[in-house]
Amino acid sequence: MAVEELLRFLMEHQGQKSATLKDAQAIFHRELHLHDFFTYLLADLNLAHPPSSKVHHDMNAPLSHYFLFTGHNSYLTGNQLSSNSSVEPIKDALLRGVRVIELDLWPDSKGNHVKVCHGRTLTSSVGLQKCLQAIKDNAFKASEYPVVITFEDHLNPNLQEKVAKMVRETFGDMLFTNETENLEQFLSPESLKKKILISTKPPKVYQNTQGEEILENGSGTVTNDGQSSQCNPPEEGEHIPNEDEDKVVPEYRHIIAIHAGKLKGGLENWLSDDPNKARRLSLSEQELENAVKTHGTKTVKFTQRNFLRVYPKGARVDSSNYNPFVGWMHGAQMVAFNMQGHGKHLWIMQGMFKANGGCGYVKKPDFLLQGGPNDEVFDPSAPLAVKTVMRVKVILGEGWHQDFHHTAFDYFSPPDFKTRVRRLKSHMKHDVFGDSFMNLQIGIAGVAADEVVKETATIDDEWLPVWNEEFEFQLRVPELAVLRIKVVECDAGSSDFGGQACLPVSELRTGIRAVALHDKKGNKYKHVRLLLSIKFEL
């Protein structure tokens, strides 16, 4: 193949209409033979979603217009009950592009110092200063866009004052603070590059019947000696403001850039949008599911200007995760995940945030941000029309014999491969990819309307399986769709993991493209690749 013929291939088959002779020449110097061409097709230059892609979304909109790569209990190394707390998961999350780190703040046994741990469990603790330093050292290695630290605060005023001092001394000029608490809208990611933002519920002080000062903190109360109190403060909005209220731990209040908290009353009030004050609301995955049943459009309206953070229900003691599309489809910016867990939902989360150069910020689709002439907003429960048709041809796979031991799948013969192509059911309670055979699974994780399951025939006893089967997917919300791939090799009664990958559909390159597979933790294998043909039709 001459360079002119390769250029024609790039333009006509790969959809690279602006390709030049220089681009073709960069692939080879003189002639491209069959082996060279095959090597090129499976190389990094030809990936369906190149890791070298740059930030290309508009980064000048308010922070509330973006999905943020968000962690939950970011300091835990394992389960929610007995695992160790450490700075290592924080470092790892930031290096993977996570932009929201959660720290639970508790007083130590003597009430003199602040520790980070999952309170009222057997998890160990780690010092707050170590966590803050780890964030400072790693915050902007993977992305220069702002990092938000959410504090789950269980501290008395004295310790809050210590936290404020610690935060200011650690971050210095990196710390962003608002000039006023009443922000009509948040600043943009572009204007907040290399800034650290603190988000928590501002403290308010009351007196209990014994005359002790107690501090409302969103998860209960603590007395001024750091011990738990059974006395509950009045609901927010019921108390009579004290003229000294704003002087309560002013240093702590001043470091808070994104104010959090629920308004008095139920769901109707929680989702109220104050045009003079943008804020953050936190709901559990169960609370969100209940909310969107009756308040779907109100949730979308709320998230156009305010932050909505969704976190795993308490029953997920194994650090598992949940379906993120319920939150994303309703505009929730912070869908908080346990990054130390594994499984399909975390892979989907990682795939979503490969978009926009992997910077940890993905601009929300226009339909979640726009309003109609009568101030109406997108209704997630309304029927959806098909926007695009995606055709995927599964051609072949290779590299297992290099990245896996020759007896990894079968002791006496090569593995048996089978391909499953699917759009995942977002409401499923089990992993629909868990099957009893070796298959290459490729599909779309997305909204419920895009659900479908397909698979290829099994290729028996072959390290380099060739399928050459094409599948069609009708996508209604391609903006939120994630291409998901998983390989499993199973013989009778046993199964082995063979790799996985998740990629944002909105950024897939058309043509004959390679897809690199990853292990269960999201680390890329060195050689395992799939070769696909990808086409989109209106």
Side-chain angles (χ1 to χ4, degrees), residues 200-422:
T200 189
K201 187 174 183 179
K204 294 180 181 179
V205 169
Y206 311 90
Q207 285 189 337
N208 63 17
T209 54
Q210 286 75 40
E212 298 174 313
E213 284 189 337
I214 60 175
L215 177 69
E216 179 185 18
N217 57 34
S219 322
T221 59
V222 290
T223 62
N224 58 8
D225 62 358
Q227 302 301 311
S228 297
S229 170
Q230 299 300 317
C231 179
N232 294 321
E235 287 284 351
E236 188 170 348
E238 288 185 349
H239 73 288
I240 300 175
N242 186 300
E243 63 180 2
D244 294 328
E245 188 175 69
D246 288 338
K247 298 179 182 178
V248 175
V249 201
E251 297 84 358
Y252 189 73
R253 296 180 68 94
H254 292 164
I255 67 171
I256 302 174
I258 301 175
H259 287 234
K262 293 178 180 177
L263 300 179
K264 174 190 172 183
L267 182 62
E268 186 75 23
N269 285 347
W270 294 354
L271 293 169
S272 296
D273 180 25
D274 183 347
N276 298 314
K277 188 174 183 179
R279 60 189 175 92
R280 174 173 69 84
L281 170 68
S282 288
L283 298 177
S284 70
E285 58 176 290
Q286 289 177 318
E287 287 177 320
L288 177 67
E289 289 177 0
N290 293 332
V292 300
K293 291 176 182 177
T294 55
H295 295 78
T297 55
K298 189 164 188 176
T299 304
V300 173
K301 179 68 175 177
F302 178 84
T303 58
Q304 289 183 340
R305 212 172 52 83
N306 302 277
F307 271 106
L308 176 57
R309 178 178 176 271
V310 187
Y311 57 92
K313 60 185 178 183
R316 295 188 181 277
V317 296
D318 59 349
S319 292
S320 61
N321 289 300
Y322 52 99
N323 172 25
F325 289 101
V326 177
W328 288 337
M329 193 63 171
H330 291 82
Q333 298 89 346
M334 298 180 178
V335 177
F337 264 34
N338 295 306
M339 297 298 167
Q340 75 276 24
H342 305 307
K344 69 173 185 180
H345 289 135
L346 183 56
W347 300 339
I348 291 167
M349 177 69 68
Q350 292 170 342
M352 169 65 83
F353 286 99
K354 284 185 173 71
N356 198 27
C359 73
Y361 283 79
V362 173
K363 187 80 157 37
K364 293 199 285 187
D366 289 342
F367 66 79
L368 289 173
L369 300 171
Q370 296 170 344
N374 298 315
D375 205 29
E376 68 270 18
V377 296
F378 171 73
D379 182 359
S381 65
L384 300 168
V386 174
K387 287 185 178 180
T388 186
V389 175
M390 177 171 144
R391 297 185 185 276
V392 178
K393 185 175 184 179
V394 182
I395 301 174
L396 56 82
E398 67 100 33
W400 285 281
H401 67 290
Q402 293 169 284
D403 287 340
F404 290 78
H405 191 269
H406 70 279
T407 60
F409 302 121
D410 288 309
Y411 279 108
F412 304 107
S413 65
D416 305 322
F417 289 93
K418 187 174 182 178
T419 304
R420 174 166 294 169
V421 184
R422 62 177 66 201

Side-chain angles (χ1 to χ4, degrees), residues 84-246:
N84 291 327
S85 298
S86 169
V87 299
E88 295 306 317
I90 296 173
K91 294 177 182 178
D92 183 65
L94 291 169
L95 294 177
R96 289 179 182 270
V98 171
R99 296 291 86 190
V100 184
I101 299 294
E102 184 193 32
L103 302 178
D104 289 357
L105 308 185
W106 292 83
D108 65 6
S109 58
K110 295 183 179 180
N112 297 325
H113 301 284
V114 180
K115 63 180 182 180
V116 174
C117 67
H118 199 208
R120 302 188 180 95
T121 68
L122 298 177
T123 59
S124 67
S125 64
V126 61
L128 174 60
Q129 181 59 55
K130 290 184 178 179
C131 294
L132 297 180
Q133 190 63 46
I135 294 173
K136 178 182 180 181
D137 293 343
N138 297 278
F140 305 113
K141 290 182 178 179
S143 169
E144 60 184 354
Y145 288 98
V147 168
V148 180
I149 306 174
T150 58
F151 286 156
E152 182 73 23
D153 178 359
H154 304 267
L155 305 176
N156 59 44
N158 291 334
L159 291 181
Q160 287 182 335
E161 187 173 2
K162 288 186 177 182
V163 170
K165 182 179 180 181
M166 205 179 299
V167 167
R168 287 190 177 278
E169 290 180 351
T170 301
F171 296 124
D173 293 339
M174 295 170 65
L175 183 68
F176 173 81
T177 56
N178 297 316
E179 295 181 359
T180 175
E181 293 184 9
N182 297 326
L183 285 178
E184 293 185 7
Q185 69 176 20
F186 298 108
L187 296 180
S188 70
E190 189 68 29
S191 66
L192 293 170
K193 277 184 176 180
K194 296 190 175 180
K195 290 293 185 180
I196 304 287
L197 285 71
I198 304 298
S199 179
T200 189
K201 187 174 183 179
K204 294 180 181 179
V205 169
Y206 311 90
Q207 285 189 337
N208 63 17
T209 54
Q210 286 75 40
E212 298 174 313
E213 284 189 337
I214 60 175
L215 177 69
E216 179 185 18
N217 57 34
S219 322
T221 59
V222 290
T223 62
N224 58 8
D225 62 358
Q227 302 301 311
S228 297
S229 170
Q230 299 300 317
C231 179
N232 294 321
E235 287 284 351
E236 188 170 348
E238 288 185 349
H239 73 288
I240 300 175
N242 186 300
E243 63 180 2
D244 294 328
E245 188 175 69
D246 288 338

Side-chain angles (χ1 to χ4, degrees), residues 34-105:
L34 182 60
H35 176 76
D36 303 319
F37 185 59
F38 181 75
T39 301
Y40 153 71
L41 288 177
L42 287 164
D44 287 349
L45 281 174
N46 193 47
L47 288 175
H49 186 265
S52 59
S53 58
K54 298 180 180 179
V55 173
H56 57 276
H57 292 182
D58 174 15
M59 303 301 286
N60 290 296
L63 282 177
S64 57
H65 287 203
Y66 301 83
F67 298 126
L68 282 67
F69 201 177
T70 303
H72 174 254
N73 289 348
S74 304
Y75 49 87
L76 285 182
T77 59
N79 66 63
Q80 307 286 308
L81 294 179
S82 59
S83 66
N84 291 327
S85 298
S86 169
V87 299
E88 295 306 317
I90 296 173
K91 294 177 182 178
D92 183 65
L94 291 169
L95 294 177
R96 289 179 182 270
V98 171
R99 296 291 86 190
V100 184
I101 299 294
E102 184 193 32
L103 302 178
D104 289 357
L105 308 185

Side-chain angles (χ1 to χ4, degrees), residues 400-518:
W400 285 281
H401 67 290
Q402 293 169 284
D403 287 340
F404 290 78
H405 191 269
H406 70 279
T407 60
F409 302 121
D410 288 309
Y411 279 108
F412 304 107
S413 65
D416 305 322
F417 289 93
K418 187 174 182 178
T419 304
R420 174 166 294 169
V421 184
R422 62 177 66 201
R423 284 198 297 262
L424 294 184
K425 296 184 177 181
S426 57
H427 62 266
M428 284 190 172
K429 304 299 183 183
H430 62 286
D431 189 344
V432 293
F433 282 99
D435 294 299
S436 57
F437 42 74
M438 174 56 121
N439 57 48
L440 183 158
Q441 306 162 350
I442 177 171
I444 302 296
V447 300
D450 289 341
E451 298 167 4
V452 70
V453 177
K454 300 178 182 180
E455 65 186 33
T456 68
T458 302
I459 305 297
D460 297 329
D461 297 336
E462 179 60 65
W463 281 106
L464 202 160
V466 177
W467 292 281
N468 279 326
E469 294 189 41
E470 186 173 84
F471 304 93
E472 175 184 297
F473 302 104
Q474 296 184 359
L475 301 178
R476 292 157 183 82
V477 189
E479 300 92 337
L480 298 182
V482 174
L483 178 69
R484 184 188 171 202
I485 298 168
K486 183 181 176 183
V487 176
V488 179
E489 198 280 343
C490 291
D491 292 317
S494 64
S495 62
D496 296 290
F497 177 82
Q500 61 84 20
C502 287
L503 302 171
V505 166
S506 62
E507 295 189 1
L508 290 179
R509 297 199 291 175
T510 58
I512 300 174
R513 300 293 180 179
V515 172
L517 295 189
H518 301 70

